[in-house]
């Protein structure tokens, strides 16, 4: 662990988001062993992912943003509120522009600008879309440590990366397995599935560089990432987890995901 602590925060964020990408690839690798996944299990995993992201949004992002704004003086609620709303608006804008297709929907129900892109590409882009705020959140968390935020620690940033990684596992499977059912080879399905996580290291590095360059942006950046993550949870993860009719199972899984992320952040942070 000491070697990790001695690294530049940019490299710490890069390694952490490479880990989250790796877990996405591990989930996508299920396609080498299975062609289908039990719908109840998939709904539970999506619900669990939603719970992790909700907890991470508060414990790892919003709470530190509020505390930092309080220490800076002025209107305490303003930076977190502005950043949170900004994160939601950013994802809403990308959601309206970027062509993508959520798991379980027909090709003609694709969102964003109309395009002739293949269904496989649209499925990957849907997962890629919500990996942007996840990578950004991890990068900003390491940036908070570098900026000297009293409530920030390497342990809490690592806890966030672990939490994001855990919920990335079902996301990789949610892309690769449907592609396999549609006739893609196992290898091609895996490649597409893991590709959805490529954006996380990119967003992570951009996040840590931004807050290191402009420390005053940190409360806005933390809450921006939180707002973007909550947008993804409400617009995508929770609805998808309820599609199969396993509402109670998905809801309990969401609660469990919240608890796991909360425990990780409190215990390690």
């Amino acid at each position: 662990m000491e070697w990790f602590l001695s690294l530049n925060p940019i490299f710490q964020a890069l390694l952490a988001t490479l880990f989250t990408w790796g877990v996405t690839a591990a989930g996508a690798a299920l396609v080498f062993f299975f062609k289908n996944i039990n719908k109840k299990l998939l709904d539970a995993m999506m619900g669990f992912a939603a719970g992790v992201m909700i907890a991470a949004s508060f414990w790892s992002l919003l709470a530190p943003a509020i505390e930092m704004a309080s220490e800076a003086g002025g209107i305490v609620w303003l930076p977190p509120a502005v950043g949170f709303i900004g994160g939601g608006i950013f994802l809403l804008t990308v959601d309206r522009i970027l062509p993508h297709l959520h798991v379980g929907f027909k090709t003609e129900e694709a969102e964003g600008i109309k395009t002739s892109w293949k269904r496989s590409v649209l499925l990957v882009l849907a997962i890629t879309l919500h990996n942007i705020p996840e990578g950004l959140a991890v990068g900003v968390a390491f940036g908070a440590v570098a900026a000297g935020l009293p409530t920030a620690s390497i342990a809490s940033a690592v806890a966030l990366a672990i939490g994001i990684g855990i919920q990335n596992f079902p996301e990789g499977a949610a892309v690769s397995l449907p592609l396999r059912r549609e006739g893609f080879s196992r290898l091609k399905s895996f490649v597409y599935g893991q590709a959805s996580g490529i954006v996380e290291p990119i967003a992570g590095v951009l996040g840590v560089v931004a807050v290191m360059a402009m420390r005053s942006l940190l409360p806005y950046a933390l809450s921006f990432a939180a707002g973007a993550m909550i947008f993804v949870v409400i617009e995508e993860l929770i609805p998808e987890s309820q599609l199969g009719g396993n509402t109670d199972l998905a809801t309990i899984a969401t609660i469990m995901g919240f608890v796991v992320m909360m425990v990780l952040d409190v215990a390690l942070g």
Side-chain angles (χ1 to χ4, degrees):
M1 187 66 177
E2 290 185 4
W3 66 270
F4 185 79
L5 296 175
S6 65
L7 292 176
N8 181 286
I10 295 175
F11 288 107
Q12 290 176 337
L14 177 60
L15 287 176
T17 47
L18 285 174
F19 162 75
T20 61
W21 178 18
V23 180
T24 302
L30 288 179
V31 76
F32 291 113
F33 307 98
F34 307 98
K35 188 173 183 178
N36 295 294
I37 186 169
N38 183 276
K39 183 58 180 173
K40 286 187 176 181
L41 178 59
L42 182 59
D43 289 346
M45 289 194 299
M46 297 301 281
F48 184 88
V52 168
M53 290 182 70
I54 293 170
S57 296
F58 177 75
W59 295 99
S60 299
L61 300 170
L62 267 181
I66 293 170
E67 184 162 343
M68 189 174 186
S70 177
E71 292 174 354
I75 305 176
V76 175
W77 54 264
L78 187 60
V82 170
F84 191 83
I85 293 172
I89 292 175
F90 170 74
L91 255 291
L92 174 62
T93 303
V94 177
D95 189 71
R96 294 284 180 86
I97 296 174
L98 183 70
H100 61 284
L101 177 67
H102 296 302
V103 176
F105 288 83
K106 299 178 181 179
T107 304
E108 54 268 25
E109 295 179 286
E111 299 179 17
I113 297 174
K114 297 303 178 182
T115 177
S116 59
W117 292 351
K118 293 181 179 180
R119 178 180 175 85
S120 56
V121 175
L122 295 174
L123 284 169
V124 173
L125 288 177
I127 303 297
T128 301
L129 177 63
H130 74 240
N131 280 340
I132 295 174
E134 293 172 10
L136 181 63
V138 174
V140 169
F142 281 97
V145 178
L149 181 63
T151 57
S153 67
I154 288 291
S156 62
V158 170
L160 176 60
I162 293 173
I164 295 296
I166 291 172
Q167 63 90 41
N168 273 357
F169 188 83
E171 291 177 1
V175 176
S176 64
L177 291 171
L179 292 179
R180 177 60 180 156
R181 289 198 300 272
E182 291 180 18
F184 284 74
S185 68
R186 286 186 172 88
L187 180 59
K188 193 171 184 179
S189 298
F190 167 75
V191 170
Y192 274 115
Q194 63 81 35
S196 63
I198 291 176
V199 71
E200 291 197 3
I202 299 171
V205 170
L206 289 176
V208 69
V209 169
V211 298
M212 286 177 65
M214 293 172 283
R215 188 181 186 279
S216 59
L217 288 179
L218 191 49
Y220 294 94
L222 287 165
S223 49
F224 180 94
M229 288 175 67
I230 291 297
F231 180 93
V232 169
V233 170
I234 298 174
E235 196 268 344
E236 182 175 343
L237 291 181
I238 290 179
E240 286 183 14
S241 71
Q242 306 282 324
L243 275 179
N246 303 304
T247 55
D248 288 343
L249 175 63
T251 301
I252 293 300
T254 301
I255 292 173
M256 294 307 299
F258 185 97
V259 170
V260 168
M261 185 64 233
M262 179 181 66
V263 170
L264 276 175
D265 192 271
V266 175
L268 297 181

PDB file of all heavy atoms in Angstrom, residues 64-85:
ATOM      1  N   PRO A  64     -18.670  15.572   1.687  1.00  0.00           N
ATOM      2  CA  PRO A  64     -17.423  16.348   1.680  1.00  0.00           C
ATOM      3  C   PRO A  64     -17.584  17.712   1.016  1.00  0.00           C
ATOM      4  O   PRO A  64     -16.960  18.688   1.442  1.00  0.00           O
ATOM      5  CB  PRO A  64     -16.455  15.460   0.879  1.00  0.00           C
ATOM      6  CG  PRO A  64     -16.996  14.091   1.015  1.00  0.00           C
ATOM      7  CD  PRO A  64     -18.490  14.262   1.046  1.00  0.00           C
ATOM      8  N   ALA A  65     -18.406  17.794  -0.029  1.00  0.00           N
ATOM      9  CA  ALA A  65     -18.624  19.072  -0.711  1.00  0.00           C
ATOM     10  C   ALA A  65     -19.283  20.083   0.230  1.00  0.00           C
ATOM     11  O   ALA A  65     -18.899  21.259   0.270  1.00  0.00           O
ATOM     12  CB  ALA A  65     -19.495  18.863  -1.953  1.00  0.00           C
ATOM     13  N   ILE A  66     -20.258  19.615   0.995  1.00  0.00           N
ATOM     14  CA  ILE A  66     -20.946  20.495   1.943  1.00  0.00           C
ATOM     15  C   ILE A  66     -19.997  20.960   3.034  1.00  0.00           C
ATOM     16  O   ILE A  66     -19.975  22.140   3.413  1.00  0.00           O
ATOM     17  CB  ILE A  66     -22.164  19.764   2.560  1.00  0.00           C
ATOM     18  CG1 ILE A  66     -23.222  19.514   1.485  1.00  0.00           C
ATOM     19  CG2 ILE A  66     -22.750  20.561   3.718  1.00  0.00           C
ATOM     20  CD1 ILE A  66     -24.345  18.601   1.926  1.00  0.00           C
ATOM     21  N   GLU A  67     -19.168  20.044   3.543  1.00  0.00           N
ATOM     22  CA  GLU A  67     -18.220  20.407   4.589  1.00  0.00           C
ATOM     23  C   GLU A  67     -17.183  21.400   4.087  1.00  0.00           C
ATOM     24  O   GLU A  67     -16.832  22.355   4.778  1.00  0.00           O
ATOM     25  CB  GLU A  67     -17.523  19.159   5.132  1.00  0.00           C
ATOM     26  CG  GLU A  67     -16.587  19.468   6.284  1.00  0.00           C
ATOM     27  CD  GLU A  67     -16.239  18.238   7.102  1.00  0.00           C
ATOM     28  OE1 GLU A  67     -16.939  17.224   6.987  1.00  0.00           O
ATOM     29  OE2 GLU A  67     -15.265  18.321   7.858  1.00  0.00           O
ATOM     30  N   MET A  68     -16.708  21.195   2.861  1.00  0.00           N
ATOM     31  CA  MET A  68     -15.720  22.115   2.306  1.00  0.00           C
ATOM     32  C   MET A  68     -16.329  23.490   2.073  1.00  0.00           C
ATOM     33  O   MET A  68     -15.682  24.517   2.329  1.00  0.00           O
ATOM     34  CB  MET A  68     -15.168  21.564   0.990  1.00  0.00           C
ATOM     35  CG  MET A  68     -13.997  22.356   0.466  1.00  0.00           C
ATOM     36  SD  MET A  68     -13.247  21.598  -0.986  1.00  0.00           S
ATOM     37  CE  MET A  68     -11.831  22.686  -1.174  1.00  0.00           C
ATOM     38  N   ALA A  69     -17.559  23.541   1.615  1.00  0.00           N
ATOM     39  CA  ALA A  69     -18.243  24.812   1.406  1.00  0.00           C
ATOM     40  C   ALA A  69     -18.451  25.534   2.738  1.00  0.00           C
ATOM     41  O   ALA A  69     -18.345  26.760   2.824  1.00  0.00           O
ATOM     42  CB  ALA A  69     -19.586  24.586   0.715  1.00  0.00           C
ATOM     43  N   SER A  70     -18.717  24.768   3.793  1.00  0.00           N
ATOM     44  CA  SER A  70     -18.894  25.347   5.129  1.00  0.00           C
ATOM     45  C   SER A  70     -17.605  25.974   5.630  1.00  0.00           C
ATOM     46  O   SER A  70     -17.611  27.067   6.211  1.00  0.00           O
ATOM     47  CB  SER A  70     -19.379  24.260   6.097  1.00  0.00           C
ATOM     48  OG  SER A  70     -19.500  24.774   7.407  1.00  0.00           O
ATOM     49  N   GLU A  71     -16.492  25.289   5.406  1.00  0.00           N
ATOM     50  CA  GLU A  71     -15.207  25.804   5.848  1.00  0.00           C
ATOM     51  C   GLU A  71     -14.788  27.060   5.082  1.00  0.00           C
ATOM     52  O   GLU A  71     -14.093  27.928   5.603  1.00  0.00           O
ATOM     53  CB  GLU A  71     -14.132  24.726   5.692  1.00  0.00           C
ATOM     54  CG  GLU A  71     -14.308  23.544   6.641  1.00  0.00           C
ATOM     55  CD  GLU A  71     -13.320  22.426   6.354  1.00  0.00           C
ATOM     56  OE1 GLU A  71     -12.587  22.536   5.350  1.00  0.00           O
ATOM     57  OE2 GLU A  71     -13.299  21.454   7.127  1.00  0.00           O
ATOM     58  N   ALA A  72     -15.239  27.155   3.826  1.00  0.00           N
ATOM     59  CA  ALA A  72     -14.878  28.300   2.988  1.00  0.00           C
ATOM     60  C   ALA A  72     -15.685  29.543   3.341  1.00  0.00           C
ATOM     61  O   ALA A  72     -15.306  30.653   2.974  1.00  0.00           O
ATOM     62  CB  ALA A  72     -15.068  27.948   1.519  1.00  0.00           C
ATOM     63  N   GLY A  73     -16.786  29.372   4.051  1.00  0.00           N
ATOM     64  CA  GLY A  73     -17.643  30.497   4.393  1.00  0.00           C
ATOM     65  C   GLY A  73     -18.613  30.813   3.269  1.00  0.00           C
ATOM     66  O   GLY A  73     -18.622  30.159   2.225  1.00  0.00           O
ATOM     67  N   GLY A  74     -19.414  31.838   3.475  1.00  0.00           N
ATOM     68  CA  GLY A  74     -20.404  32.208   2.471  1.00  0.00           C
ATOM     69  C   GLY A  74     -21.658  31.372   2.599  1.00  0.00           C
ATOM     70  O   GLY A  74     -21.967  30.829   3.663  1.00  0.00           O
ATOM     71  N   ILE A  75     -22.395  31.268   1.523  1.00  0.00           N
ATOM     72  CA  ILE A  75     -23.642  30.487   1.514  1.00  0.00           C
ATOM     73  C   ILE A  75     -23.281  29.013   1.384  1.00  0.00           C
ATOM     74  O   ILE A  75     -22.885  28.557   0.300  1.00  0.00           O
ATOM     75  CB  ILE A  75     -24.554  30.931   0.355  1.00  0.00           C
ATOM     76  CG1 ILE A  75     -24.813  32.442   0.423  1.00  0.00           C
ATOM     77  CG2 ILE A  75     -25.877  30.166   0.399  1.00  0.00           C
ATOM     78  CD1 ILE A  75     -25.620  32.984  -0.734  1.00  0.00           C
ATOM     79  N   VAL A  76     -23.414  28.266   2.451  1.00  0.00           N
ATOM     80  CA  VAL A  76     -22.919  26.893   2.512  1.00  0.00           C
ATOM     81  C   VAL A  76     -23.567  25.989   1.482  1.00  0.00           C
ATOM     82  O   VAL A  76     -22.905  25.162   0.855  1.00  0.00           O
ATOM     83  CB  VAL A  76     -23.132  26.315   3.929  1.00  0.00           C
ATOM     84  CG1 VAL A  76     -22.735  24.851   3.969  1.00  0.00           C
ATOM     85  CG2 VAL A  76     -22.343  27.117   4.948  1.00  0.00           C
ATOM     86  N   TRP A  77     -24.870  26.160   1.274  1.00  0.00           N
ATOM     87  CA  TRP A  77     -25.575  25.227   0.402  1.00  0.00           C
ATOM     88  C   TRP A  77     -25.391  25.529  -1.086  1.00  0.00           C
ATOM     89  O   TRP A  77     -25.688  24.687  -1.926  1.00  0.00           O
ATOM     90  CB  TRP A  77     -27.076  25.230   0.711  1.00  0.00           C
ATOM     91  CG  TRP A  77     -27.721  26.595   0.676  1.00  0.00           C
ATOM     92  CD1 TRP A  77     -27.948  27.426   1.733  1.00  0.00           C
ATOM     93  CD2 TRP A  77     -28.207  27.280  -0.488  1.00  0.00           C
ATOM     94  NE1 TRP A  77     -28.547  28.579   1.307  1.00  0.00           N
ATOM     95  CE2 TRP A  77     -28.717  28.522  -0.052  1.00  0.00           C
ATOM     96  CE3 TRP A  77     -28.260  26.974  -1.848  1.00  0.00           C
ATOM     97  CZ2 TRP A  77     -29.282  29.451  -0.922  1.00  0.00           C
ATOM     98  CZ3 TRP A  77     -28.803  27.906  -2.716  1.00  0.00           C
ATOM     99  CH2 TRP A  77     -29.309  29.122  -2.260  1.00  0.00           C
ATOM    100  N   LEU A  78     -24.902  26.720  -1.409  1.00  0.00           N
ATOM    101  CA  LEU A  78     -24.858  27.138  -2.806  1.00  0.00           C
ATOM    102  C   LEU A  78     -23.922  26.291  -3.686  1.00  0.00           C
ATOM    103  O   LEU A  78     -24.368  25.771  -4.737  1.00  0.00           O
ATOM    104  CB  LEU A  78     -24.484  28.617  -2.908  1.00  0.00           C
ATOM    105  CG  LEU A  78     -24.560  29.220  -4.319  1.00  0.00           C
ATOM    106  CD1 LEU A  78     -25.981  29.097  -4.866  1.00  0.00           C
ATOM    107  CD2 LEU A  78     -24.119  30.684  -4.292  1.00  0.00           C
ATOM    108  N   PRO A  79     -22.635  26.114  -3.334  1.00  0.00           N
ATOM    109  CA  PRO A  79     -21.762  25.300  -4.205  1.00  0.00           C
ATOM    110  C   PRO A  79     -22.261  23.872  -4.409  1.00  0.00           C
ATOM    111  O   PRO A  79     -22.295  23.390  -5.557  1.00  0.00           O
ATOM    112  CB  PRO A  79     -20.410  25.338  -3.476  1.00  0.00           C
ATOM    113  CG  PRO A  79     -20.441  26.607  -2.701  1.00  0.00           C
ATOM    114  CD  PRO A  79     -21.859  26.734  -2.235  1.00  0.00           C
ATOM    115  N   PRO A  80     -22.679  23.163  -3.332  1.00  0.00           N
ATOM    116  CA  PRO A  80     -23.182  21.800  -3.557  1.00  0.00           C
ATOM    117  C   PRO A  80     -24.442  21.775  -4.422  1.00  0.00           C
ATOM    118  O   PRO A  80     -24.597  20.893  -5.267  1.00  0.00           O
ATOM    119  CB  PRO A  80     -23.478  21.288  -2.145  1.00  0.00           C
ATOM    120  CG  PRO A  80     -22.618  22.119  -1.253  1.00  0.00           C
ATOM    121  CD  PRO A  80     -22.577  23.463  -1.883  1.00  0.00           C
ATOM    122  N   ALA A  81     -25.341  22.751  -4.205  1.00  0.00           N
ATOM    123  CA  ALA A  81     -26.580  22.780  -4.987  1.00  0.00           C
ATOM    124  C   ALA A  81     -26.300  23.066  -6.461  1.00  0.00           C
ATOM    125  O   ALA A  81     -26.834  22.393  -7.353  1.00  0.00           O
ATOM    126  CB  ALA A  81     -27.537  23.830  -4.422  1.00  0.00           C
ATOM    127  N   VAL A  82     -25.440  24.050  -6.714  1.00  0.00           N
ATOM    128  CA  VAL A  82     -25.105  24.410  -8.099  1.00  0.00           C
ATOM    129  C   VAL A  82     -24.401  23.239  -8.794  1.00  0.00           C
ATOM    130  O   VAL A  82     -24.720  22.889  -9.935  1.00  0.00           O
ATOM    131  CB  VAL A  82     -24.212  25.673  -8.135  1.00  0.00           C
ATOM    132  CG1 VAL A  82     -23.655  25.897  -9.541  1.00  0.00           C
ATOM    133  CG2 VAL A  82     -25.001  26.890  -7.684  1.00  0.00           C
ATOM    134  N   GLY A  83     -23.430  22.631  -8.104  1.00  0.00           N
ATOM    135  CA  GLY A  83     -22.705  21.510  -8.693  1.00  0.00           C
ATOM    136  C   GLY A  83     -23.617  20.325  -8.957  1.00  0.00           C
ATOM    137  O   GLY A  83     -23.543  19.696 -10.017  1.00  0.00           O
ATOM    138  N   PHE A  84     -24.491  20.011  -7.998  1.00  0.00           N
ATOM    139  CA  PHE A  84     -25.393  18.862  -8.123  1.00  0.00           C
ATOM    140  C   PHE A  84     -26.329  19.037  -9.311  1.00  0.00           C
ATOM    141  O   PHE A  84     -26.502  18.120 -10.134  1.00  0.00           O
ATOM    142  CB  PHE A  84     -26.191  18.701  -6.827  1.00  0.00           C
ATOM    143  CG  PHE A  84     -26.957  17.410  -6.733  1.00  0.00           C
ATOM    144  CD1 PHE A  84     -26.330  16.244  -6.306  1.00  0.00           C
ATOM    145  CD2 PHE A  84     -28.299  17.354  -7.057  1.00  0.00           C
ATOM    146  CE1 PHE A  84     -27.031  15.047  -6.209  1.00  0.00           C
ATOM    147  CE2 PHE A  84     -29.010  16.165  -6.968  1.00  0.00           C
ATOM    148  CZ  PHE A  84     -28.374  15.004  -6.543  1.00  0.00           C
ATOM    149  N   ILE A  85     -26.930  20.222  -9.419  1.00  0.00           N
ATOM    150  CA  ILE A  85     -27.837  20.502 -10.538  1.00  0.00           C
ATOM    151  C   ILE A  85     -27.060  20.477 -11.853  1.00  0.00           C
ATOM    152  O   ILE A  85     -27.527  19.953 -12.864  1.00  0.00           O
ATOM    153  CB  ILE A  85     -28.532  21.867 -10.344  1.00  0.00           C
ATOM    154  CG1 ILE A  85     -29.479  21.797  -9.141  1.00  0.00           C
ATOM    155  CG2 ILE A  85     -29.293  22.266 -11.603  1.00  0.00           C
ATOM    156  CD1 ILE A  85     -30.067  23.138  -8.742  1.00  0.00           C
TER     157      ILE A  85
END
